Amino acid sequence: MQAGLALAGGMLAGALPARAQDNPMPEVLREALERQGDAPVLGNPEGDITLTEFFDYNCSFCRQTVPVLQKLIQGDPQLRVVFREWPIFGEGSLFAAQASLASLQQGKYWRFHVELMKIRGRAEEASVLRAAKKVGLDVARLRKDMEADKVLAHIDHSMALADHMALAGTPTFIAGNDALFGQQRLKDLQKLVEQARTDLL
């Protein structure tokens, strides 16, 4: 993974605001962003366009984006959505990210993700485990799976990607060769996806 990022040569910082024909994202970077690091995938796994979200469970704008993403996915049967856990707001965020990724082993990622985004106040160990119990997760198994290599590798991969691309913070949405930062309306994300289809297909 690191070798692939090195080959990208830091080009994305310039590529994101530009049109595809002017400064396209290097394919090695697109592969690392959309296909590597055991990232959870929602929507259509075989969709024609991938939208990637970098988020943190202690990001208020990320929490507000959940229903917007639901509508986006429901309205676009060809959209593939990749979630990149990027815990940048402290230990509670890291605990939440590890728990969330571990829930994949119990087939409850999306339900748990939504419940974590509903937490009032900070996501931290106690509130995360309450959310886990609420959605019926086996907490003992969850704690064990949180330390799995692929969970930690996903977080490391997301951190490396975000650093390499010089992302400004959460949430960041990337599709095609463009990105949006901060809270977004449904029509803004739809436009981002439509532009990606125009550029790449």
Side-chain angles (χ1 to χ4, degrees):
M1 182 270 294
Q2 291 292 351
L5 292 178
L7 286 172
M11 294 175 63
L12 189 61
L16 284 178
R19 294 269 57 86
Q21 61 266 30
D22 299 328
N23 198 357
M25 182 189 296
E27 284 306 313
V28 66
L29 181 54
R30 190 179 306 286
E31 177 74 14
L33 179 68
E34 299 180 353
R35 305 286 173 178
Q36 297 175 4
D38 290 311
V41 176
L42 277 76
N44 183 349
E46 305 301 324
D48 60 1
I49 286 296
T50 297
L51 172 72
T52 302
E53 180 190 10
F54 284 78
F55 68 92
D56 184 302
Y57 287 108
N58 280 310
C59 163
S60 60
F61 290 147
C62 299
R63 292 175 177 179
Q64 295 171 36
T65 299
V66 171
V68 178
L69 274 178
Q70 288 177 314
K71 291 178 182 178
L72 183 69
I73 292 169
Q74 291 169 358
D76 190 339
Q78 288 302 313
L79 180 62
R80 177 177 182 268
V81 178
V82 169
F83 279 0
R84 290 231 162 263
E85 307 263 356
W86 188 26
I88 55 175
F89 292 115
E91 291 183 9
S93 294
L94 179 58
F95 187 91
Q98 287 182 245
S100 180
L101 291 165
S103 73
L104 285 164
Q105 301 305 309
Q106 299 184 48
K108 296 185 177 181
Y109 178 86
W110 177 245
R111 286 181 59 196
F112 191 33
H113 174 84
V114 172
E115 199 62 36
L116 288 173
M117 288 297 192
K118 291 179 181 177
I119 290 175
R120 292 180 179 272
R122 285 192 58 78
E124 52 192 15
E125 182 171 350
S127 56
V128 168
L129 294 181
R130 283 196 298 271
K133 292 175 183 176
K134 188 170 181 179
V135 300
L137 285 163
D138 179 331
V139 173
R141 180 183 175 189
L142 188 74
R143 282 187 175 275
K144 180 179 179 182
D145 291 340
M146 284 172 63
E147 302 302 323
D149 288 346
K150 63 182 177 181
V151 167
L152 303 177
H154 169 94
I155 294 171
D156 286 347
H157 187 79
S158 295
M159 291 287 188
L161 283 167
D163 182 64
H164 179 78
M165 295 184 289
L167 299 188
T170 57
T172 293
F173 301 92
I174 303 171
N177 301 294
D178 298 301
L180 294 173
F181 165 64
Q183 186 177 5
Q184 303 298 325
R185 297 169 297 178
L186 177 60
K187 67 179 183 179
D188 296 323
L189 292 179
Q190 288 172 330
K191 184 177 180 181
L192 179 67
V193 171
E194 289 167 6
Q195 185 63 56
R197 284 199 171 101
T198 298
D199 290 344
L200 300 181
L201 300 183

mmCIF file with all atom_site columns, all heavy atoms in Angstrom, residues 141-166:
data_model
loop_
_atom_site.group_PDB
_atom_site.id
_atom_site.type_symbol
_atom_site.label_atom_id
_atom_site.label_alt_id
_atom_site.label_comp_id
_atom_site.label_asym_id
_atom_site.label_entity_id
_atom_site.label_seq_id
_atom_site.pdbx_PDB_ins_code
_atom_site.Cartn_x
_atom_site.Cartn_y
_atom_site.Cartn_z
_atom_site.occupancy
_atom_site.B_iso_or_equiv
_atom_site.pdbx_formal_charge
_atom_site.auth_seq_id
_atom_site.auth_comp_id
_atom_site.auth_asym_id
_atom_site.auth_atom_id
_atom_site.pdbx_PDB_model_num
ATOM 1   N N   . ARG A 1 141 ? -17.236 -10.722 21.660 1.00 0.00 ? 141 ARG A N   1
ATOM 2   C CA  . ARG A 1 141 ? -16.639 -11.006 20.351 1.00 0.00 ? 141 ARG A CA  1
ATOM 3   C C   . ARG A 1 141 ? -16.187 -9.720  19.684 1.00 0.00 ? 141 ARG A C   1
ATOM 4   O O   . ARG A 1 141 ? -15.129 -9.672  19.055 1.00 0.00 ? 141 ARG A O   1
ATOM 5   C CB  . ARG A 1 141 ? -17.648 -11.730 19.467 1.00 0.00 ? 141 ARG A CB  1
ATOM 6   C CG  . ARG A 1 141 ? -17.111 -12.057 18.088 1.00 0.00 ? 141 ARG A CG  1
ATOM 7   C CD  . ARG A 1 141 ? -18.150 -12.714 17.206 1.00 0.00 ? 141 ARG A CD  1
ATOM 8   N NE  . ARG A 1 141 ? -17.643 -12.899 15.856 1.00 0.00 ? 141 ARG A NE  1
ATOM 9   C CZ  . ARG A 1 141 ? -18.362 -13.294 14.819 1.00 0.00 ? 141 ARG A CZ  1
ATOM 10  N NH1 . ARG A 1 141 ? -19.651 -13.566 14.988 1.00 0.00 ? 141 ARG A NH1 1
ATOM 11  N NH2 . ARG A 1 141 ? -17.820 -13.424 13.626 1.00 0.00 ? 141 ARG A NH2 1
ATOM 12  N N   . LEU A 1 142 ? -16.987 -8.669  19.827 1.00 0.00 ? 142 LEU A N   1
ATOM 13  C CA  . LEU A 1 142 ? -16.636 -7.382  19.233 1.00 0.00 ? 142 LEU A CA  1
ATOM 14  C C   . LEU A 1 142 ? -15.295 -6.894  19.763 1.00 0.00 ? 142 LEU A C   1
ATOM 15  O O   . LEU A 1 142 ? -14.434 -6.453  18.995 1.00 0.00 ? 142 LEU A O   1
ATOM 16  C CB  . LEU A 1 142 ? -17.728 -6.358  19.531 1.00 0.00 ? 142 LEU A CB  1
ATOM 17  C CG  . LEU A 1 142 ? -17.609 -5.011  18.822 1.00 0.00 ? 142 LEU A CG  1
ATOM 18  C CD1 . LEU A 1 142 ? -17.986 -5.148  17.347 1.00 0.00 ? 142 LEU A CD1 1
ATOM 19  C CD2 . LEU A 1 142 ? -18.510 -3.971  19.491 1.00 0.00 ? 142 LEU A CD2 1
ATOM 20  N N   . ARG A 1 143 ? -15.119 -6.961  21.067 1.00 0.00 ? 143 ARG A N   1
ATOM 21  C CA  . ARG A 1 143 ? -13.855 -6.504  21.673 1.00 0.00 ? 143 ARG A CA  1
ATOM 22  C C   . ARG A 1 143 ? -12.675 -7.288  21.114 1.00 0.00 ? 143 ARG A C   1
ATOM 23  O O   . ARG A 1 143 ? -11.611 -6.720  20.843 1.00 0.00 ? 143 ARG A O   1
ATOM 24  C CB  . ARG A 1 143 ? -13.919 -6.652  23.190 1.00 0.00 ? 143 ARG A CB  1
ATOM 25  C CG  . ARG A 1 143 ? -14.720 -5.566  23.900 1.00 0.00 ? 143 ARG A CG  1
ATOM 26  C CD  . ARG A 1 143 ? -14.572 -5.713  25.406 1.00 0.00 ? 143 ARG A CD  1
ATOM 27  N NE  . ARG A 1 143 ? -15.213 -4.665  26.152 1.00 0.00 ? 143 ARG A NE  1
ATOM 28  C CZ  . ARG A 1 143 ? -14.651 -3.482  26.418 1.00 0.00 ? 143 ARG A CZ  1
ATOM 29  N NH1 . ARG A 1 143 ? -13.441 -3.197  25.946 1.00 0.00 ? 143 ARG A NH1 1
ATOM 30  N NH2 . ARG A 1 143 ? -15.286 -2.576  27.142 1.00 0.00 ? 143 ARG A NH2 1
ATOM 31  N N   . LYS A 1 144 ? -12.849 -8.569  20.935 1.00 0.00 ? 144 LYS A N   1
ATOM 32  C CA  . LYS A 1 144 ? -11.767 -9.399  20.391 1.00 0.00 ? 144 LYS A CA  1
ATOM 33  C C   . LYS A 1 144 ? -11.471 -9.014  18.942 1.00 0.00 ? 144 LYS A C   1
ATOM 34  O O   . LYS A 1 144 ? -10.316 -8.836  18.549 1.00 0.00 ? 144 LYS A O   1
ATOM 35  C CB  . LYS A 1 144 ? -12.152 -10.869 20.480 1.00 0.00 ? 144 LYS A CB  1
ATOM 36  C CG  . LYS A 1 144 ? -11.084 -11.814 19.945 1.00 0.00 ? 144 LYS A CG  1
ATOM 37  C CD  . LYS A 1 144 ? -11.523 -13.266 20.078 1.00 0.00 ? 144 LYS A CD  1
ATOM 38  C CE  . LYS A 1 144 ? -10.463 -14.198 19.510 1.00 0.00 ? 144 LYS A CE  1
ATOM 39  N NZ  . LYS A 1 144 ? -10.894 -15.625 19.589 1.00 0.00 ? 144 LYS A NZ  1
ATOM 40  N N   . ASP A 1 145 ? -12.552 -8.867  18.147 1.00 0.00 ? 145 ASP A N   1
ATOM 41  C CA  . ASP A 1 145 ? -12.372 -8.561  16.731 1.00 0.00 ? 145 ASP A CA  1
ATOM 42  C C   . ASP A 1 145 ? -11.821 -7.159  16.495 1.00 0.00 ? 145 ASP A C   1
ATOM 43  O O   . ASP A 1 145 ? -11.250 -6.883  15.437 1.00 0.00 ? 145 ASP A O   1
ATOM 44  C CB  . ASP A 1 145 ? -13.707 -8.720  15.996 1.00 0.00 ? 145 ASP A CB  1
ATOM 45  C CG  . ASP A 1 145 ? -14.163 -10.173 15.898 1.00 0.00 ? 145 ASP A CG  1
ATOM 46  O OD1 . ASP A 1 145 ? -13.318 -11.075 16.048 1.00 0.00 ? 145 ASP A OD1 1
ATOM 47  O OD2 . ASP A 1 145 ? -15.374 -10.398 15.676 1.00 0.00 ? 145 ASP A OD2 1
ATOM 48  N N   . MET A 1 146 ? -11.989 -6.272  17.460 1.00 0.00 ? 146 MET A N   1
ATOM 49  C CA  . MET A 1 146 ? -11.462 -4.911  17.332 1.00 0.00 ? 146 MET A CA  1
ATOM 50  C C   . MET A 1 146 ? -9.948  -4.876  17.188 1.00 0.00 ? 146 MET A C   1
ATOM 51  O O   . MET A 1 146 ? -9.396  -3.930  16.633 1.00 0.00 ? 146 MET A O   1
ATOM 52  C CB  . MET A 1 146 ? -11.866 -4.068  18.554 1.00 0.00 ? 146 MET A CB  1
ATOM 53  C CG  . MET A 1 146 ? -13.306 -3.620  18.556 1.00 0.00 ? 146 MET A CG  1
ATOM 54  S SD  . MET A 1 146 ? -13.785 -2.826  20.121 1.00 0.00 ? 146 MET A SD  1
ATOM 55  C CE  . MET A 1 146 ? -12.692 -1.388  20.115 1.00 0.00 ? 146 MET A CE  1
ATOM 56  N N   . GLU A 1 147 ? -9.284  -5.920  17.678 1.00 0.00 ? 147 GLU A N   1
ATOM 57  C CA  . GLU A 1 147 ? -7.825  -5.955  17.630 1.00 0.00 ? 147 GLU A CA  1
ATOM 58  C C   . GLU A 1 147 ? -7.292  -6.725  16.428 1.00 0.00 ? 147 GLU A C   1
ATOM 59  O O   . GLU A 1 147 ? -6.087  -6.943  16.304 1.00 0.00 ? 147 GLU A O   1
ATOM 60  C CB  . GLU A 1 147 ? -7.279  -6.583  18.919 1.00 0.00 ? 147 GLU A CB  1
ATOM 61  C CG  . GLU A 1 147 ? -7.709  -5.839  20.188 1.00 0.00 ? 147 GLU A CG  1
ATOM 62  C CD  . GLU A 1 147 ? -7.293  -4.378  20.179 1.00 0.00 ? 147 GLU A CD  1
ATOM 63  O OE1 . GLU A 1 147 ? -6.199  -4.075  19.670 1.00 0.00 ? 147 GLU A OE1 1
ATOM 64  O OE2 . GLU A 1 147 ? -8.076  -3.542  20.679 1.00 0.00 ? 147 GLU A OE2 1
ATOM 65  N N   . ALA A 1 148 ? -8.193  -7.141  15.542 1.00 0.00 ? 148 ALA A N   1
ATOM 66  C CA  . ALA A 1 148 ? -7.769  -7.909  14.371 1.00 0.00 ? 148 ALA A CA  1
ATOM 67  C C   . ALA A 1 148 ? -6.869  -7.064  13.471 1.00 0.00 ? 148 ALA A C   1
ATOM 68  O O   . ALA A 1 148 ? -7.031  -5.849  13.365 1.00 0.00 ? 148 ALA A O   1
ATOM 69  C CB  . ALA A 1 148 ? -8.995  -8.379  13.590 1.00 0.00 ? 148 ALA A CB  1
ATOM 70  N N   . ASP A 1 149 ? -5.933  -7.724  12.828 1.00 0.00 ? 149 ASP A N   1
ATOM 71  C CA  . ASP A 1 149 ? -4.983  -7.025  11.959 1.00 0.00 ? 149 ASP A CA  1
ATOM 72  C C   . ASP A 1 149 ? -5.676  -6.221  10.877 1.00 0.00 ? 149 ASP A C   1
ATOM 73  O O   . ASP A 1 149 ? -5.280  -5.092  10.567 1.00 0.00 ? 149 ASP A O   1
ATOM 74  C CB  . ASP A 1 149 ? -4.023  -8.037  11.310 1.00 0.00 ? 149 ASP A CB  1
ATOM 75  C CG  . ASP A 1 149 ? -3.012  -8.602  12.292 1.00 0.00 ? 149 ASP A CG  1
ATOM 76  O OD1 . ASP A 1 149 ? -2.866  -8.025  13.394 1.00 0.00 ? 149 ASP A OD1 1
ATOM 77  O OD2 . ASP A 1 149 ? -2.389  -9.627  11.969 1.00 0.00 ? 149 ASP A OD2 1
ATOM 78  N N   . LYS A 1 150 ? -6.746  -6.775  10.292 1.00 0.00 ? 150 LYS A N   1
ATOM 79  C CA  . LYS A 1 150 ? -7.384  -6.062  9.184  1.00 0.00 ? 150 LYS A CA  1
ATOM 80  C C   . LYS A 1 150 ? -8.128  -4.819  9.652  1.00 0.00 ? 150 LYS A C   1
ATOM 81  O O   . LYS A 1 150 ? -8.277  -3.867  8.879  1.00 0.00 ? 150 LYS A O   1
ATOM 82  C CB  . LYS A 1 150 ? -8.300  -6.990  8.395  1.00 0.00 ? 150 LYS A CB  1
ATOM 83  C CG  . LYS A 1 150 ? -9.463  -7.574  9.125  1.00 0.00 ? 150 LYS A CG  1
ATOM 84  C CD  . LYS A 1 150 ? -10.208 -8.502  8.169  1.00 0.00 ? 150 LYS A CD  1
ATOM 85  C CE  . LYS A 1 150 ? -11.369 -9.196  8.824  1.00 0.00 ? 150 LYS A CE  1
ATOM 86  N NZ  . LYS A 1 150 ? -12.062 -10.099 7.874  1.00 0.00 ? 150 LYS A NZ  1
ATOM 87  N N   . VAL A 1 151 ? -8.585  -4.814  10.906 1.00 0.00 ? 151 VAL A N   1
ATOM 88  C CA  . VAL A 1 151 ? -9.218  -3.608  11.452 1.00 0.00 ? 151 VAL A CA  1
ATOM 89  C C   . VAL A 1 151 ? -8.186  -2.504  11.598 1.00 0.00 ? 151 VAL A C   1
ATOM 90  O O   . VAL A 1 151 ? -8.388  -1.369  11.160 1.00 0.00 ? 151 VAL A O   1
ATOM 91  C CB  . VAL A 1 151 ? -9.881  -3.915  12.812 1.00 0.00 ? 151 VAL A CB  1
ATOM 92  C CG1 . VAL A 1 151 ? -10.255 -2.630  13.539 1.00 0.00 ? 151 VAL A CG1 1
ATOM 93  C CG2 . VAL A 1 151 ? -11.121 -4.782  12.611 1.00 0.00 ? 151 VAL A CG2 1
ATOM 94  N N   . LEU A 1 152 ? -7.074  -2.841  12.213 1.00 0.00 ? 152 LEU A N   1
ATOM 95  C CA  . LEU A 1 152 ? -6.014  -1.854  12.410 1.00 0.00 ? 152 LEU A CA  1
ATOM 96  C C   . LEU A 1 152 ? -5.411  -1.414  11.075 1.00 0.00 ? 152 LEU A C   1
ATOM 97  O O   . LEU A 1 152 ? -5.067  -0.246  10.887 1.00 0.00 ? 152 LEU A O   1
ATOM 98  C CB  . LEU A 1 152 ? -4.941  -2.423  13.334 1.00 0.00 ? 152 LEU A CB  1
ATOM 99  C CG  . LEU A 1 152 ? -5.448  -2.891  14.710 1.00 0.00 ? 152 LEU A CG  1
ATOM 100 C CD1 . LEU A 1 152 ? -4.319  -3.498  15.523 1.00 0.00 ? 152 LEU A CD1 1
ATOM 101 C CD2 . LEU A 1 152 ? -6.101  -1.743  15.468 1.00 0.00 ? 152 LEU A CD2 1
ATOM 102 N N   . ALA A 1 153 ? -5.332  -2.359  10.138 1.00 0.00 ? 153 ALA A N   1
ATOM 103 C CA  . ALA A 1 153 ? -4.771  -2.040  8.824  1.00 0.00 ? 153 ALA A CA  1
ATOM 104 C C   . ALA A 1 153 ? -5.676  -1.063  8.069  1.00 0.00 ? 153 ALA A C   1
ATOM 105 O O   . ALA A 1 153 ? -5.178  -0.172  7.365  1.00 0.00 ? 153 ALA A O   1
ATOM 106 C CB  . ALA A 1 153 ? -4.578  -3.312  8.005  1.00 0.00 ? 153 ALA A CB  1
ATOM 107 N N   . HIS A 1 154 ? -6.990  -1.230  8.208  1.00 0.00 ? 154 HIS A N   1
ATOM 108 C CA  . HIS A 1 154 ? -7.909  -0.292  7.542  1.00 0.00 ? 154 HIS A CA  1
ATOM 109 C C   . HIS A 1 154 ? -7.673  1.127   8.045  1.00 0.00 ? 154 HIS A C   1
ATOM 110 O O   . HIS A 1 154 ? -7.597  2.074   7.256  1.00 0.00 ? 154 HIS A O   1
ATOM 111 C CB  . HIS A 1 154 ? -9.370  -0.675  7.799  1.00 0.00 ? 154 HIS A CB  1
ATOM 112 C CG  . HIS A 1 154 ? -10.334 0.392   7.364  1.00 0.00 ? 154 HIS A CG  1
ATOM 113 N ND1 . HIS A 1 154 ? -10.930 0.400   6.124  1.00 0.00 ? 154 HIS A ND1 1
ATOM 114 C CD2 . HIS A 1 154 ? -10.773 1.519   7.984  1.00 0.00 ? 154 HIS A CD2 1
ATOM 115 C CE1 . HIS A 1 154 ? -11.700 1.472   6.012  1.00 0.00 ? 154 HIS A CE1 1
ATOM 116 N NE2 . HIS A 1 154 ? -11.631 2.169   7.133  1.00 0.00 ? 154 HIS A NE2 1
ATOM 117 N N   . ILE A 1 155 ? -7.572  1.274   9.349  1.00 0.00 ? 155 ILE A N   1
ATOM 118 C CA  . ILE A 1 155 ? -7.381  2.610   9.926  1.00 0.00 ? 155 ILE A CA  1
ATOM 119 C C   . ILE A 1 155 ? -6.038  3.191   9.495  1.00 0.00 ? 155 ILE A C   1
ATOM 120 O O   . ILE A 1 155 ? -5.949  4.363   9.107  1.00 0.00 ? 155 ILE A O   1
ATOM 121 C CB  . ILE A 1 155 ? -7.512  2.554   11.456 1.00 0.00 ? 155 ILE A CB  1
ATOM 122 C CG1 . ILE A 1 155 ? -8.959  2.181   11.824 1.00 0.00 ? 155 ILE A CG1 1
ATOM 123 C CG2 . ILE A 1 155 ? -7.122  3.888   12.090 1.00 0.00 ? 155 ILE A CG2 1
ATOM 124 C CD1 . ILE A 1 155 ? -9.173  1.888   13.288 1.00 0.00 ? 155 ILE A CD1 1
ATOM 125 N N   . ASP A 1 156 ? -4.996  2.379   9.525  1.00 0.00 ? 156 ASP A N   1
ATOM 126 C CA  . ASP A 1 156 ? -3.674  2.840   9.078  1.00 0.00 ? 156 ASP A CA  1
ATOM 127 C C   . ASP A 1 156 ? -3.716  3.263   7.613  1.00 0.00 ? 156 ASP A C   1
ATOM 128 O O   . ASP A 1 156 ? -3.128  4.279   7.224  1.00 0.00 ? 156 ASP A O   1
ATOM 129 C CB  . ASP A 1 156 ? -2.630  1.734   9.268  1.00 0.00 ? 156 ASP A CB  1
ATOM 130 C CG  . ASP A 1 156 ? -2.249  1.536   10.723 1.00 0.00 ? 156 ASP A CG  1
ATOM 131 O OD1 . ASP A 1 156 ? -2.583  2.395   11.563 1.00 0.00 ? 156 ASP A OD1 1
ATOM 132 O OD2 . ASP A 1 156 ? -1.623  0.495   11.027 1.00 0.00 ? 156 ASP A OD2 1
ATOM 133 N N   . HIS A 1 157 ? -4.426  2.473   6.811  1.00 0.00 ? 157 HIS A N   1
ATOM 134 C CA  . HIS A 1 157 ? -4.532  2.761   5.374  1.00 0.00 ? 157 HIS A CA  1
ATOM 135 C C   . HIS A 1 157 ? -5.259  4.084   5.152  1.00 0.00 ? 157 HIS A C   1
ATOM 136 O O   . HIS A 1 157 ? -4.816  4.923   4.350  1.00 0.00 ? 157 HIS A O   1
ATOM 137 C CB  . HIS A 1 157 ? -5.287  1.614   4.706  1.00 0.00 ? 157 HIS A CB  1
ATOM 138 C CG  . HIS A 1 157 ? -5.330  1.690   3.215  1.00 0.00 ? 157 HIS A CG  1
ATOM 139 N ND1 . HIS A 1 157 ? -4.272  1.314   2.419  1.00 0.00 ? 157 HIS A ND1 1
ATOM 140 C CD2 . HIS A 1 157 ? -6.312  2.092   2.362  1.00 0.00 ? 157 HIS A CD2 1
ATOM 141 C CE1 . HIS A 1 157 ? -4.593  1.472   1.141  1.00 0.00 ? 157 HIS A CE1 1
ATOM 142 N NE2 . HIS A 1 157 ? -5.832  1.949   1.076  1.00 0.00 ? 157 HIS A NE2 1
ATOM 143 N N   . SER A 1 158 ? -6.356  4.288   5.867  1.00 0.00 ? 158 SER A N   1
ATOM 144 C CA  . SER A 1 158 ? -7.108  5.534   5.728  1.00 0.00 ? 158 SER A CA  1
ATOM 145 C C   . SER A 1 158 ? -6.286  6.736   6.178  1.00 0.00 ? 158 SER A C   1
ATOM 146 O O   . SER A 1 158 ? -6.319  7.793   5.545  1.00 0.00 ? 158 SER A O   1
ATOM 147 C CB  . SER A 1 158 ? -8.406  5.459   6.543  1.00 0.00 ? 158 SER A CB  1
ATOM 148 O OG  . SER A 1 158 ? -9.265  4.466   6.027  1.00 0.00 ? 158 SER A OG  1
ATOM 149 N N   . MET A 1 159 ? -5.559  6.568   7.274  1.00 0.00 ? 159 MET A N   1
ATOM 150 C CA  . MET A 1 159 ? -4.703  7.646   7.768  1.00 0.00 ? 159 MET A CA  1
ATOM 151 C C   . MET A 1 159 ? -3.642  8.011   6.728  1.00 0.00 ? 159 MET A C   1
ATOM 152 O O   . MET A 1 159 ? -3.379  9.191   6.470  1.00 0.00 ? 159 MET A O   1
ATOM 153 C CB  . MET A 1 159 ? -4.030  7.228   9.083  1.00 0.00 ? 159 MET A CB  1
ATOM 154 C CG  . MET A 1 159 ? -4.963  7.111   10.266 1.00 0.00 ? 159 MET A CG  1
ATOM 155 S SD  . MET A 1 159 ? -5.475  8.733   10.860 1.00 0.00 ? 159 MET A SD  1
ATOM 156 C CE  . MET A 1 159 ? -6.352  8.272   12.361 1.00 0.00 ? 159 MET A CE  1
ATOM 157 N N   . ALA A 1 160 ? -3.038  6.981   6.126  1.00 0.00 ? 160 ALA A N   1
ATOM 158 C CA  . ALA A 1 160 ? -1.994  7.225   5.124  1.00 0.00 ? 160 ALA A CA  1
ATOM 159 C C   . ALA A 1 160 ? -2.568  7.916   3.888  1.00 0.00 ? 160 ALA A C   1
ATOM 160 O O   . ALA A 1 160 ? -1.961  8.846   3.336  1.00 0.00 ? 160 ALA A O   1
ATOM 161 C CB  . ALA A 1 160 ? -1.320  5.905   4.745  1.00 0.00 ? 160 ALA A CB  1
ATOM 162 N N   . LEU A 1 161 ? -3.745  7.469   3.449  1.00 0.00 ? 161 LEU A N   1
ATOM 163 C CA  . LEU A 1 161 ? -4.384  8.097   2.299  1.00 0.00 ? 161 LEU A CA  1
ATOM 164 C C   . LEU A 1 161 ? -4.712  9.558   2.579  1.00 0.00 ? 161 LEU A C   1
ATOM 165 O O   . LEU A 1 161 ? -4.445  10.440  1.755  1.00 0.00 ? 161 LEU A O   1
ATOM 166 C CB  . LEU A 1 161 ? -5.674  7.350   1.939  1.00 0.00 ? 161 LEU A CB  1
ATOM 167 C CG  . LEU A 1 161 ? -5.524  6.031   1.194  1.00 0.00 ? 161 LEU A CG  1
ATOM 168 C CD1 . LEU A 1 161 ? -6.851  5.283   1.197  1.00 0.00 ? 161 LEU A CD1 1
ATOM 169 C CD2 . LEU A 1 161 ? -5.049  6.278   -0.234 1.00 0.00 ? 161 LEU A CD2 1
ATOM 170 N N   . ALA A 1 162 ? -5.309  9.807   3.745  1.00 0.00 ? 162 ALA A N   1
ATOM 171 C CA  . ALA A 1 162 ? -5.700  11.183  4.091  1.00 0.00 ? 162 ALA A CA  1
ATOM 172 C C   . ALA A 1 162 ? -4.483  12.097  4.172  1.00 0.00 ? 162 ALA A C   1
ATOM 173 O O   . ALA A 1 162 ? -4.516  13.241  3.718  1.00 0.00 ? 162 ALA A O   1
ATOM 174 C CB  . ALA A 1 162 ? -6.464  11.180  5.411  1.00 0.00 ? 162 ALA A CB  1
ATOM 175 N N   . ASP A 1 163 ? -3.416  11.582  4.736  1.00 0.00 ? 163 ASP A N   1
ATOM 176 C CA  . ASP A 1 163 ? -2.185  12.364  4.834  1.00 0.00 ? 163 ASP A CA  1
ATOM 177 C C   . ASP A 1 163 ? -1.601  12.623  3.448  1.00 0.00 ? 163 ASP A C   1
ATOM 178 O O   . ASP A 1 163 ? -1.204  13.742  3.120  1.00 0.00 ? 163 ASP A O   1
ATOM 179 C CB  . ASP A 1 163 ? -1.182  11.627  5.717  1.00 0.00 ? 163 ASP A CB  1
ATOM 180 C CG  . ASP A 1 163 ? 0.109   12.411  5.896  1.00 0.00 ? 163 ASP A CG  1
ATOM 181 O OD1 . ASP A 1 163 ? 0.065   13.508  6.491  1.00 0.00 ? 163 ASP A OD1 1
ATOM 182 O OD2 . ASP A 1 163 ? 1.166   11.933  5.445  1.00 0.00 ? 163 ASP A OD2 1
ATOM 183 N N   . HIS A 1 164 ? -1.587  11.587  2.636  1.00 0.00 ? 164 HIS A N   1
ATOM 184 C CA  . HIS A 1 164 ? -1.029  11.705  1.288  1.00 0.00 ? 164 HIS A CA  1
ATOM 185 C C   . HIS A 1 164 ? -1.811  12.710  0.442  1.00 0.00 ? 164 HIS A C   1
ATOM 186 O O   . HIS A 1 164 ? -1.233  13.476  -0.332 1.00 0.00 ? 164 HIS A O   1
ATOM 187 C CB  . HIS A 1 164 ? -1.057  10.333  0.621  1.00 0.00 ? 164 HIS A CB  1
ATOM 188 C CG  . HIS A 1 164 ? -0.530  10.336  -0.775 1.00 0.00 ? 164 HIS A CG  1
ATOM 189 N ND1 . HIS A 1 164 ? 0.810   10.367  -1.060 1.00 0.00 ? 164 HIS A ND1 1
ATOM 190 C CD2 . HIS A 1 164 ? -1.168  10.332  -1.975 1.00 0.00 ? 164 HIS A CD2 1
ATOM 191 C CE1 . HIS A 1 164 ? 0.987   10.381  -2.372 1.00 0.00 ? 164 HIS A CE1 1
ATOM 192 N NE2 . HIS A 1 164 ? -0.199  10.350  -2.949 1.00 0.00 ? 164 HIS A NE2 1
ATOM 193 N N   . MET A 1 165 ? -3.118  12.717  0.614  1.00 0.00 ? 165 MET A N   1
ATOM 194 C CA  . MET A 1 165 ? -3.962  13.606  -0.179 1.00 0.00 ? 165 MET A CA  1
ATOM 195 C C   . MET A 1 165 ? -4.167  14.968  0.475  1.00 0.00 ? 165 MET A C   1
ATOM 196 O O   . MET A 1 165 ? -4.855  15.827  -0.061 1.00 0.00 ? 165 MET A O   1
ATOM 197 C CB  . MET A 1 165 ? -5.323  12.941  -0.426 1.00 0.00 ? 165 MET A CB  1
ATOM 198 C CG  . MET A 1 165 ? -5.230  11.695  -1.278 1.00 0.00 ? 165 MET A CG  1
ATOM 199 S SD  . MET A 1 165 ? -6.865  10.963  -1.686 1.00 0.00 ? 165 MET A SD  1
ATOM 200 C CE  . MET A 1 165 ? -7.341  10.314  -0.087 1.00 0.00 ? 165 MET A CE  1
ATOM 201 N N   . ALA A 1 166 ? -3.588  15.139  1.667  1.00 0.00 ? 166 ALA A N   1
ATOM 202 C CA  . ALA A 1 166 ? -3.701  16.405  2.404  1.00 0.00 ? 166 ALA A CA  1
ATOM 203 C C   . ALA A 1 166 ? -5.160  16.797  2.612  1.00 0.00 ? 166 ALA A C   1
ATOM 204 O O   . ALA A 1 166 ? -5.548  17.951  2.372  1.00 0.00 ? 166 ALA A O   1
ATOM 205 C CB  . ALA A 1 166 ? -2.922  17.511  1.689  1.00 0.00 ? 166 ALA A CB  1
#
